[in-house]
Amino acid sequence: MAQRIITEMIDDIDGSTIIDGNGRAIAFSVDGRAYEIDLNGANADKFEAALSPYIAAARLVTTPRGATSSSKDAEQGDELTRIRRWAHRNGFTIPADGSINLEARIAYTAAH
């Protein structure tokens, strides 16, 4: 007997099915607690727009040398590296501190 297993990504805000890569899992943290939410493209844009003034005013926190990080942290670092490379190739300027501005993140998401 043949089986087909289908996995669907569901938007955690409106319950819609995320199709054709038009969405993503967004990891974020608040008050030292880490969260992840699955959002379709429109809700991801709303989420990023709502956070943009706070991100713009915030400073980047990095893991001190010698500290261990989880595999999720490593995956997020890999994603940031991919975004940074894509942004450079597509004419976005990345500040000297290495932070990736919201405009570049949104453009990367739209392109992928």
Side-chain angles (χ1 to χ4, degrees):
M1 170 193 306
Q3 290 184 351
R4 176 180 286 169
I5 298 172
I6 299 171
T7 302
E8 291 183 324
M9 189 173 186
I10 305 296
D11 184 291
D12 291 327
I13 296 296
D14 64 18
S16 64
T17 301
I18 299 171
I19 54 174
D20 297 329
N22 184 27
R24 61 196 171 107
I26 298 175
F28 62 100
S29 62
V30 176
D31 291 335
R33 299 187 72 177
Y35 301 90
E36 187 171 273
I37 188 168
D38 299 326
L39 297 174
N40 63 34
N43 283 336
D45 291 345
K46 289 177 189 175
F47 179 85
E48 289 178 341
L51 290 181
S52 66
Y54 302 99
I55 292 170
R59 64 188 165 277
L60 182 64
V61 177
T62 59
T63 304
R65 284 189 176 240
T68 59
S69 62
S70 69
S71 61
K72 181 168 271 189
D73 290 340
E75 289 173 28
Q76 289 173 354
D78 291 344
E79 177 73 3
L80 292 175
T81 299
R82 285 190 293 274
I83 295 170
R84 199 171 278 111
R85 286 181 185 151
W86 180 90
H88 280 296
R89 285 193 308 266
N90 289 278
F92 288 89
T93 302
I94 304 299
D97 69 359
S99 62
I100 303 169
N101 62 38
L102 185 62
E103 180 184 8
R105 286 177 184 261
I106 291 171
Y108 174 86
T109 301
H112 293 86

